[in-house]
Amino acid sequence: MAKSLGPVKRKFSPWTDPAATPFIRFENITKRYGDFVAVDNLTLDIYEREFFSLLGPSGCGKTTLMRMLAGFEEPTEGRILLQGKDLSGTPPYKRPTNMMFQSYALFPHMTVEKNIAFGLEQDGLPKADIQARVEEMLRLVKLENFAKRKPAQLSGGQRQRVALARSLAKRPKVLLLDEPLGALDRKLREETQFELMDIQHTLGLTFLIVTHDQEEAMTVSDRIAVMDKGIVVQVATPAEIYEAPNSRYVAEFIGDINILECALVENAGECVHPGHPPVVHLESDGLKIAVEQECAAVVGDRVAFAIRPEKVRISLDQPPETGSNLAHGEVWDIGYLGDFSVFLVRLEDGRTIRAAQANVSRLVDRPITFGDMVWLSWPLDGGLVLTR
Amino acid sequence: MAETGATSQNNPWRWLVVGVPYLWLLVFFTAPFLIIFKISLSDTAIAMPPYTPTFEGFGAIGDFLSQLDVENYLFLTEDPLYINAYLSSLRMALISTGLLLLIGYPMALAMARAPSTIRPTLLMMVILPFWTSFLIRVYAWIGILKPEGLLTLLLQSIGLFGPDQQVQIFRTDYAVFIGIVYSYLPFMVLPLYSALEKMDNTLLEAASDLGCPPWKAFWKITFPLSLPGVIAGSMICFIPITGEFVIPDLLGGAETLMIGKTLWTEFFGNRDWPLASAVAVLLLLALVVPIVIFQNQQQKVR
Amino acid sequence: MKASRFDSTVLTLCFAFLYIPILILIIYSFNASKLVTVWGGFSLEWYRVMWSNEGLMDAAWVTARVGVLSATIGTVLGTLAALALTRYPRFPGRMAFTGMIYAPLVMPEVITGLSLLLLFVAMNVERGFWTVTIAHTTFTMCYVAIIVQSRLVTFDRSLEEAALDLGCPPVKTFFKITLPLILPAIISGWMLAFTLSLDDLVIASFTTGPGATTLPIKIYSQVRLGVTPEINAICTILIGLVTIGVIFTSISTKRAETRRILDEHQAVRAAG
């Protein structure tokens, strides 16, 4: 998006290279079920070795999109290209993609070993090769001692690993992961996220993951496509999605954010910091807001000002700023999260703004408490103007 | 009754709930088997009831044992009629069960793969004939299969048969097979359907995703996973078919040998109760293995 | 798709196989001609003949009484057995009990019939209405037990625990909570028991005595003599009764189910 974040070091960003050819291309894909449009004229490029997430609430079309790539559904319109080849009409069992199912779909009548070997057997590989590959996969997911067990004799985490090993055994060009960690508890999920990244890096494969869990998407992905009602709202790196969402939908879907309805007072005003964009002035019910941002809106437009709670400073004393980016209110509620405390501050006009403060010291009684009158302030590059 | 765990141990209701049906089954299901076994070892007498009462009071156990003999069983092994009837019954039951699987499996599969909106209707349509009388369903086939029956009429009217040709399957083993398959089809389809319907469709997707074409996925995934249903359905059909009486009696011919029919004739025709009992005991013994398999299967399902 | 065309062909053929013989039987019950293969025009003549056949009507009356009585006793016993199987994981002889519940389902009827007869003879009981009723109760209760048991297995025990928690004593909880919820299963169990009793020929033949000839025994003795439109007529009536019964119960259970789901949705909406 428009806002520059300054020079960012990146090792891997083929999407910024105009000469790079996409590995997977969804080209004007539409999928209808009767009157219901699950995917609406969607175009999306994914690059080789990318860890790409499709993120959105249930029913946004992300799973349908993935199933079309796997071959379980055919697009109503448009086509899917893999390395430039049109996949239309290719049945799932002839596609170089493998999928890890949300339910894992482990064959209950086969041992772990047999499950992993299943795909290789379909290719008619020699027995010795299959055996070697199965052992390699078992080592990769650290299940060497469970080869002879049936899926029913494994824990949830172990089943997840078997499913992963099975889908990786054929070395697919693309690994599709449908809510891969949804059934795991939080701690295990976090560990597994890093393992997934490790494996993806080691094997050098392209991963496409479908998830509704924004934290998961943020942790593992190179890029995220945020979807809503069959369209892609924004495709960007996790940092860009978080710091520079292109719409209220993305801003609210990812993380916590304060949104204030505003009128645009002045666009492209003075330039405060050299190299930064000029300041946009907004007004929200008497509250003056200034943001360093390039903005397409014109004076008088209704826009939204969005700011993440951790970028709002909270203090008992009046801060040095005057005029803009300053609000005064009463602490209405406090959420203590351990690493952070979130303060719900009620302004005089009844609106509330959330401010998060890192708990940097081991105090049990924090200096700011319920009923305190506090000042809220934020820097020029703390929030952003959203026009849609 | 609604209690759990420790409290149920000394609950008077428990004795009612468990005791009443237990006692009923002991008296009217298990006790008769012991009697049948005992009578099979008695001598035939002409008097009514047509066996020598060998059990007078519980004291006379020694007496009782001395009176027992295995002559009925010896007779059964000597007369090839009985051995042939046994073997023929098992053969008929085996072939019928095979035919039932052959017809029932595709049907159950088609039902399980049907859209979920029409599945209850299909299920209902399978269950409905199961509710109508066995006797009526067998009777319905007589009118069709008779030499001058409706099948002949149909074949003649479409020109496949000449006016003097007739369908010659009534009162043969073929008619018995048709009758058995017709009568037992719902018993085969229902367990198969419930096994197939439970199956997780994503397993087939996973197989396809891993490079397995649909027909191969059927043999590697669907069929092995439906085996409990196959076994249950086969046992539910095989066991009663072996002792079937009505179908071979009404549709079969003189050469149709089935043990259920033999037992019936021994009992109602020759009034030889001890011999009929011996036939029943041997029939039961032949069915012990399938019955045990069936029981184990039922235990496992739950 | 190819698979679905194969499937619909299979279904069409199989259902044709299941239903055509019965349809033919029904159609020919309205045949004016006495010959089974000749259509002599529509007529209710055979229903009249059937109605005036006193032996047949007596047998029907016996069958109805045996059916109602044995189905009712069988349902009570079967429900108790289902409760025993699901609620009491441990009692002496549980394995044997389970075996006795499942064995009658597959036991050849000739064996069950003969063994019960020999029991009645050994006990010196005069055979007739009551012996047939007891015999039918014994095998129908097992079917009821299995139907009710499958409902009890999926029964949410926390409903009973909630009632107990709210101060309702166990026996009252059973009658106020458990019984109403498993009632549909009990009703379909009763229906099945009644139909099985109505259908049974073999066991009834063994256990009956003078004056207690049931309808299947009567039909069987006539069928042996050949196909007559009168038998078609009585069969048609039996099929009609059973079909109406089955469809009625399945619709009413389905309606109850739909209403329950609607109620739940409404409750959720009201709560949200």
Side-chain angles (χ1 to χ4, degrees), chain A residues 18-19 28 36 51-52 95 113 127 143 214 280 282 339 356 358 360:
Chain A
N28 303 103
F36 177 70
F51 203 134
F52 195 94
R95 294 195 184 198
E113 215 173 29
K127 275 227 159 64
L143 284 175
Q214 37 135 332
V280 180
L282 312 167
D339 47 357
V360 290

PDB file of all heavy atoms in Angstrom, chain A residues 18-19 28 36 51-52 95 113 127 143 214 280 282 339 356 358 360:
ATOM      1  N   PRO A  18       9.298  -7.292 -10.623  1.00  0.00           N
ATOM      2  CA  PRO A  18       8.356  -7.350 -11.750  1.00  0.00           C
ATOM      3  C   PRO A  18       8.720  -8.447 -12.750  1.00  0.00           C
ATOM      4  O   PRO A  18       7.858  -8.898 -13.522  1.00  0.00           O
ATOM      5  CB  PRO A  18       8.435  -5.974 -12.385  1.00  0.00           C
ATOM      6  CG  PRO A  18       9.604  -5.287 -11.773  1.00  0.00           C
ATOM      7  CD  PRO A  18      10.027  -6.020 -10.540  1.00  0.00           C
ATOM      8  N   ALA A  19       9.975  -8.908 -12.749  1.00  0.00           N
ATOM      9  CA  ALA A  19      10.383  -9.910 -13.723  1.00  0.00           C
ATOM     10  C   ALA A  19      10.061 -11.322 -13.275  1.00  0.00           C
ATOM     11  O   ALA A  19      10.070 -12.260 -14.071  1.00  0.00           O
ATOM     12  CB  ALA A  19      11.886  -9.805 -13.987  1.00  0.00           C
ATOM     13  N   ASN A  28      -8.849 -14.721 -12.559  1.00  0.00           N
ATOM     14  CA  ASN A  28     -10.275 -14.379 -12.646  1.00  0.00           C
ATOM     15  C   ASN A  28     -11.178 -15.550 -12.229  1.00  0.00           C
ATOM     16  O   ASN A  28     -12.123 -15.909 -12.922  1.00  0.00           O
ATOM     17  CB  ASN A  28     -10.647 -13.953 -14.073  1.00  0.00           C
ATOM     18  CG  ASN A  28      -9.804 -12.787 -14.532  1.00  0.00           C
ATOM     19  OD1 ASN A  28      -8.875 -12.971 -15.314  1.00  0.00           O
ATOM     20  ND2 ASN A  28     -10.091 -11.619 -14.014  1.00  0.00           N
ATOM     21  N   PHE A  36     -25.307 -18.723  -4.794  1.00  0.00           N
ATOM     22  CA  PHE A  36     -24.285 -18.259  -3.860  1.00  0.00           C
ATOM     23  C   PHE A  36     -22.930 -18.161  -4.550  1.00  0.00           C
ATOM     24  O   PHE A  36     -22.480 -19.100  -5.204  1.00  0.00           O
ATOM     25  CB  PHE A  36     -24.211 -19.224  -2.671  1.00  0.00           C
ATOM     26  CG  PHE A  36     -23.140 -18.871  -1.691  1.00  0.00           C
ATOM     27  CD1 PHE A  36     -23.260 -17.741  -0.905  1.00  0.00           C
ATOM     28  CD2 PHE A  36     -22.006 -19.669  -1.567  1.00  0.00           C
ATOM     29  CE1 PHE A  36     -22.265 -17.405  -0.005  1.00  0.00           C
ATOM     30  CE2 PHE A  36     -21.006 -19.328  -0.673  1.00  0.00           C
ATOM     31  CZ  PHE A  36     -21.137 -18.203   0.113  1.00  0.00           C
ATOM     32  N   PHE A  51       5.600 -18.981   1.608  1.00  0.00           N
ATOM     33  CA  PHE A  51       4.670 -19.484   2.617  1.00  0.00           C
ATOM     34  C   PHE A  51       3.514 -18.505   2.617  1.00  0.00           C
ATOM     35  O   PHE A  51       3.617 -17.408   3.148  1.00  0.00           O
ATOM     36  CB  PHE A  51       5.343 -19.537   3.995  1.00  0.00           C
ATOM     37  CG  PHE A  51       4.700 -20.502   4.951  1.00  0.00           C
ATOM     38  CD1 PHE A  51       5.489 -21.370   5.710  1.00  0.00           C
ATOM     39  CD2 PHE A  51       3.324 -20.564   5.091  1.00  0.00           C
ATOM     40  CE1 PHE A  51       4.903 -22.273   6.598  1.00  0.00           C
ATOM     41  CE2 PHE A  51       2.742 -21.455   5.975  1.00  0.00           C
ATOM     42  CZ  PHE A  51       3.532 -22.307   6.726  1.00  0.00           C
ATOM     43  N   PHE A  52       2.438 -18.900   1.966  1.00  0.00           N
ATOM     44  CA  PHE A  52       1.346 -17.965   1.678  1.00  0.00           C
ATOM     45  C   PHE A  52       0.106 -18.338   2.472  1.00  0.00           C
ATOM     46  O   PHE A  52      -0.286 -19.499   2.512  1.00  0.00           O
ATOM     47  CB  PHE A  52       1.035 -18.013   0.179  1.00  0.00           C
ATOM     48  CG  PHE A  52       0.193 -16.866  -0.300  1.00  0.00           C
ATOM     49  CD1 PHE A  52       0.779 -15.729  -0.835  1.00  0.00           C
ATOM     50  CD2 PHE A  52      -1.188 -16.923  -0.214  1.00  0.00           C
ATOM     51  CE1 PHE A  52       0.001 -14.662  -1.272  1.00  0.00           C
ATOM     52  CE2 PHE A  52      -1.971 -15.863  -0.633  1.00  0.00           C
ATOM     53  CZ  PHE A  52      -1.376 -14.725  -1.171  1.00  0.00           C
ATOM     54  N   ARG A  95      -2.697 -34.216  -9.846  1.00  0.00           N
ATOM     55  CA  ARG A  95      -2.116 -32.884  -9.629  1.00  0.00           C
ATOM     56  C   ARG A  95      -0.889 -32.978  -8.723  1.00  0.00           C
ATOM     57  O   ARG A  95      -0.880 -33.771  -7.782  1.00  0.00           O
ATOM     58  CB  ARG A  95      -3.151 -31.961  -8.976  1.00  0.00           C
ATOM     59  CG  ARG A  95      -4.302 -31.677  -9.887  1.00  0.00           C
ATOM     60  CD  ARG A  95      -5.117 -30.508  -9.407  1.00  0.00           C
ATOM     61  NE  ARG A  95      -6.261 -30.365 -10.309  1.00  0.00           N
ATOM     62  CZ  ARG A  95      -6.991 -29.264 -10.406  1.00  0.00           C
ATOM     63  NH1 ARG A  95      -6.716 -28.221  -9.676  1.00  0.00           N
ATOM     64  NH2 ARG A  95      -8.006 -29.225 -11.250  1.00  0.00           N
ATOM     65  N   GLU A 113       2.942 -45.762   9.320  1.00  0.00           N
ATOM     66  CA  GLU A 113       3.836 -46.069   8.217  1.00  0.00           C
ATOM     67  C   GLU A 113       3.076 -46.175   6.890  1.00  0.00           C
ATOM     68  O   GLU A 113       3.445 -45.585   5.880  1.00  0.00           O
ATOM     69  CB  GLU A 113       4.436 -47.433   8.527  1.00  0.00           C
ATOM     70  CG  GLU A 113       5.820 -47.663   8.131  1.00  0.00           C
ATOM     71  CD  GLU A 113       6.245 -49.018   8.709  1.00  0.00           C
ATOM     72  OE1 GLU A 113       5.398 -49.907   8.894  1.00  0.00           O
ATOM     73  OE2 GLU A 113       7.419 -49.160   8.981  1.00  0.00           O
ATOM     74  N   LYS A 127       9.832 -50.623  -3.587  1.00  0.00           N
ATOM     75  CA  LYS A 127       9.586 -50.785  -2.149  1.00  0.00           C
ATOM     76  C   LYS A 127      10.676 -50.141  -1.289  1.00  0.00           C
ATOM     77  O   LYS A 127      10.386 -49.490  -0.295  1.00  0.00           O
ATOM     78  CB  LYS A 127       9.509 -52.281  -1.802  1.00  0.00           C
ATOM     79  CG  LYS A 127       8.131 -52.863  -2.023  1.00  0.00           C
ATOM     80  CD  LYS A 127       7.706 -53.698  -0.798  1.00  0.00           C
ATOM     81  CE  LYS A 127       6.213 -53.871  -0.718  1.00  0.00           C
ATOM     82  NZ  LYS A 127       5.607 -54.618  -1.805  1.00  0.00           N
ATOM     83  N   LEU A 143       8.574 -38.969  14.652  1.00  0.00           N
ATOM     84  CA  LEU A 143       7.642 -40.025  15.048  1.00  0.00           C
ATOM     85  C   LEU A 143       8.225 -41.408  14.767  1.00  0.00           C
ATOM     86  O   LEU A 143       7.503 -42.363  14.519  1.00  0.00           O
ATOM     87  CB  LEU A 143       6.318 -39.875  14.293  1.00  0.00           C
ATOM     88  CG  LEU A 143       5.379 -38.769  14.753  1.00  0.00           C
ATOM     89  CD1 LEU A 143       4.180 -38.675  13.826  1.00  0.00           C
ATOM     90  CD2 LEU A 143       4.901 -38.994  16.170  1.00  0.00           C
ATOM     91  N   GLN A 214      -5.615 -15.268  12.875  1.00  0.00           N
ATOM     92  CA  GLN A 214      -4.720 -14.228  12.371  1.00  0.00           C
ATOM     93  C   GLN A 214      -3.308 -14.358  12.948  1.00  0.00           C
ATOM     94  O   GLN A 214      -2.332 -14.143  12.247  1.00  0.00           O
ATOM     95  CB  GLN A 214      -5.303 -12.851  12.659  1.00  0.00           C
ATOM     96  CG  GLN A 214      -6.004 -12.772  13.977  1.00  0.00           C
ATOM     97  CD  GLN A 214      -5.644 -11.540  14.736  1.00  0.00           C
ATOM     98  OE1 GLN A 214      -4.564 -11.000  14.580  1.00  0.00           O
ATOM     99  NE2 GLN A 214      -6.579 -11.091  15.549  1.00  0.00           N
ATOM    100  N   VAL A 280      -1.731  14.840   7.158  1.00  0.00           N
ATOM    101  CA  VAL A 280      -3.161  14.966   6.870  1.00  0.00           C
ATOM    102  C   VAL A 280      -3.835  15.378   8.172  1.00  0.00           C
ATOM    103  O   VAL A 280      -3.554  14.805   9.221  1.00  0.00           O
ATOM    104  CB  VAL A 280      -3.729  13.603   6.400  1.00  0.00           C
ATOM    105  CG1 VAL A 280      -5.214  13.726   6.101  1.00  0.00           C
ATOM    106  CG2 VAL A 280      -2.964  13.070   5.212  1.00  0.00           C
ATOM    107  N   LEU A 282      -7.257  15.789  10.423  1.00  0.00           N
ATOM    108  CA  LEU A 282      -8.621  15.279  10.533  1.00  0.00           C
ATOM    109  C   LEU A 282      -9.276  15.881  11.749  1.00  0.00           C
ATOM    110  O   LEU A 282      -8.617  16.362  12.663  1.00  0.00           O
ATOM    111  CB  LEU A 282      -8.603  13.761  10.715  1.00  0.00           C
ATOM    112  CG  LEU A 282      -7.753  12.916   9.788  1.00  0.00           C
ATOM    113  CD1 LEU A 282      -7.643  11.505  10.335  1.00  0.00           C
ATOM    114  CD2 LEU A 282      -8.348  12.899   8.396  1.00  0.00           C
ATOM    115  N   ASP A 339       1.705  -9.493  29.997  1.00  0.00           N
ATOM    116  CA  ASP A 339       2.722  -8.692  29.309  1.00  0.00           C
ATOM    117  C   ASP A 339       2.229  -7.272  29.052  1.00  0.00           C
ATOM    118  O   ASP A 339       2.990  -6.323  29.046  1.00  0.00           O
ATOM    119  CB  ASP A 339       3.148  -9.372  27.998  1.00  0.00           C
ATOM    120  CG  ASP A 339       1.983  -9.853  27.166  1.00  0.00           C
ATOM    121  OD1 ASP A 339       0.818  -9.709  27.623  1.00  0.00           O
ATOM    122  OD2 ASP A 339       2.212 -10.364  26.063  1.00  0.00           O
ATOM    123  N   ALA A 356      -2.875   0.441  25.146  1.00  0.00           N
ATOM    124  CA  ALA A 356      -2.169  -0.691  25.747  1.00  0.00           C
ATOM    125  C   ALA A 356      -0.813  -0.228  26.230  1.00  0.00           C
ATOM    126  O   ALA A 356      -0.160   0.589  25.585  1.00  0.00           O
ATOM    127  CB  ALA A 356      -2.014  -1.812  24.735  1.00  0.00           C
ATOM    128  N   ALA A 358       2.858  -1.671  27.868  1.00  0.00           N
ATOM    129  CA  ALA A 358       3.682  -2.816  28.246  1.00  0.00           C
ATOM    130  C   ALA A 358       3.946  -2.735  29.738  1.00  0.00           C
ATOM    131  O   ALA A 358       4.219  -1.667  30.281  1.00  0.00           O
ATOM    132  CB  ALA A 358       4.985  -2.801  27.469  1.00  0.00           C
ATOM    133  N   VAL A 360       6.343  -3.068  32.053  1.00  0.00           N
ATOM    134  CA  VAL A 360       7.793  -3.221  32.054  1.00  0.00           C
ATOM    135  C   VAL A 360       8.367  -3.524  33.429  1.00  0.00           C
ATOM    136  O   VAL A 360       9.477  -4.002  33.545  1.00  0.00           O
ATOM    137  CB  VAL A 360       8.483  -1.984  31.441  1.00  0.00           C
ATOM    138  CG1 VAL A 360       8.221  -1.924  29.949  1.00  0.00           C
ATOM    139  CG2 VAL A 360       8.010  -0.720  32.139  1.00  0.00           C
TER     140      VAL A 360
END
